[in-house]
Amino acid sequence: MAGIRPSALFVLMLAAGMSAPLLAHEGHDQVTVEKSAVALPGSRYAWVTSPATTAAEQDERVSTPQFREKMQAALDAELKAKGYQLVGASEADVLIAYRAGVRDVQQPVVHDYGSADTRQASLECTSDGCSQLVTRNGNGEPVLKVKSSDEIQAGLMVEVIDRTSLRVVWRAMDEGTAKANRASRVSLDRVAREILVELPRAPATP
């Protein structure tokens, strides 16, 4: 399977509508088709197992056999609805692989309180604004202030590969961010539907 951007391995910690927690979501998410196609080489497909190679992929929220089975089942159902048929690798027209990852991150929080030059900002609040970095402690001394937001980043990538040439013919990435304290479960069925929405329908069988 072709390489994946490290920053792209994040979005929707998928929990299953069939019930296997995958990620929670109440925030930004986006599906990007990185390689589009008008049609695929055929309607028969087989899965290629993708080993977990990064810490995000090895996170237990997306690395358990139970999660992987439910994620693949959700993708299978969506592929079937588009006319594709799951077969053995030797019979397949295309191979399909996916990678999922999730991680917890802290992002600095910045609020715009108004304009302030460097000299004013070093002492927190003035009539022109407040420092993003400095506040006063109980003794009135300037000290560094740290504000951050806990977030969950997760992602799912799906690739369709021509079995004969091993050339990638279609690829999509679903990535996003959710506030850790506002995350809500999302069904894997929905995730599969959204990431495969632009996959062309299977070509008609002669």
Side-chain angles (χ1 to χ4, degrees):
M1 177 175 173
I4 182 173
R5 304 191 313 271
S7 62
L9 247 194
F10 312 103
V11 205
L12 260 65
M13 194 180 105
L14 336 185
M18 318 145 41
S19 264
L22 164 206
L23 162 60
H25 171 252
E26 229 184 74
H28 167 73
D29 71 290
Q30 179 179 1
V31 173
T32 304
V33 176
E34 298 184 340
K35 187 173 184 61
S36 61
V38 175
L40 298 189
S43 61
R44 299 172 300 175
Y45 74 95
W47 286 101
V48 175
T49 302
S50 304
T53 58
T54 67
E57 293 174 274
Q58 293 167 359
D59 189 290
E60 62 182 8
R61 288 171 288 187
V62 294
S63 64
T64 65
Q66 293 83 358
F67 167 79
R68 296 189 66 83
E69 288 173 9
K70 292 182 186 299
M71 182 75 261
Q72 189 167 314
L75 292 167
D76 278 333
E78 191 61 26
L79 288 164
K80 182 177 180 180
K82 285 180 171 282
Y84 293 95
Q85 177 187 3
L86 179 62
V87 297
S90 62
E91 305 171 67
D93 302 304
V94 296
L95 304 174
I96 300 181
Y98 79 87
R99 297 175 73 176
V102 62
R103 69 178 179 179
D104 300 300
V105 297
Q106 278 195 333
Q107 298 286 7
V109 175
V110 176
H111 299 288
D112 184 7
Y113 293 113
S115 62
D117 62 29
T118 303
R119 177 180 57 80
Q120 293 170 330
S122 67
L123 293 177
E124 194 199 15
C125 289
T126 70
S127 59
D128 292 322
C130 296
S131 169
Q132 300 295 313
L133 303 177
V134 178
T135 187
R136 295 184 185 277
N137 63 16
N139 297 323
E141 301 167 333
V143 295
L144 183 68
K145 64 179 178 181
V146 178
K147 290 186 177 180
S148 62
S149 172
D150 293 326
E151 297 179 348
I152 298 170
Q153 294 180 331
L156 176 68
M157 171 181 273
V158 175
E159 279 192 343
V160 181
I161 303 151
D162 182 284
R163 187 176 71 86
T164 303
S165 65
L166 293 187
R167 181 175 58 90
V168 176
V169 294
W170 191 87
R171 179 193 293 126
M173 164 65 69
D174 187 356
E175 52 187 329
T177 300
K179 298 293 184 183
N181 62 350
R182 297 181 60 192
S184 59
R185 296 204 174 173
V186 178
S187 82
L188 293 185
D189 292 337
R190 173 184 146 185
V191 172
R193 183 170 59 254
E194 290 180 348
I195 198 168
L196 296 178
V197 67
E198 291 190 41
L199 181 74
R201 293 191 64 82
T205 304

